[in-house]
């Protein structure tokens, strides 16, 4: 699969927005932001089902960003 740069950029922007990733953060702060974003998604019903797994929208976007970046 060959990803398009615009798709990669769009998914990364959405994931960053989910994490409110403005500015630089250390690893612990990023992990806390990820946990909060995932909890918000589950609480508000923003989930995706993938091969029997239930993921928060944030988790799905981050996985897609990694996959697209690796194959881009």
């Amino acid at each position: 699969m060959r990803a398009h740069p615009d798709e990669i950029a769009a998914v990364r922007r959405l994931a960053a927005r989910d994490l409110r990733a403005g500015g630089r953060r250390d690893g612990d702060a990023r992990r806390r932001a990820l946990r909060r974003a995932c909890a918000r998604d589950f609480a508000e019903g923003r989930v995706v089902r993938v091969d029997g797994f239930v993921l928060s929208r944030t988790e799905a976007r981050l996985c897609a960003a990694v996959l697209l970046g690796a194959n881009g």
Side-chain angles (χ1 to χ4, degrees):
M1 170 203 310
R2 177 141 171 100
H4 297 279
D6 55 328
E7 291 171 346
I8 296 169
V11 170
R12 286 183 178 155
R13 272 193 310 275
L14 289 169
R17 185 190 69 193
D18 287 345
L19 294 176
R20 290 176 171 57
R24 295 182 182 217
R25 295 178 174 202
D26 63 27
D28 288 338
R30 287 181 185 168
R31 283 185 284 278
R32 286 190 302 272
L34 176 58
R35 283 192 294 269
R36 283 192 305 269
C38 292
R40 268 193 316 270
D41 286 348
F42 280 111
E44 296 176 13
R46 293 187 306 254
V47 297
V48 180
R49 289 173 181 24
V50 180
D51 291 333
F53 292 92
V54 178
L55 304 172
S56 73
R57 181 185 65 188
T58 299
E59 291 170 308
R61 285 178 174 165
L62 288 172
C63 290
V66 170
L67 177 67
L68 289 172
N71 292 317

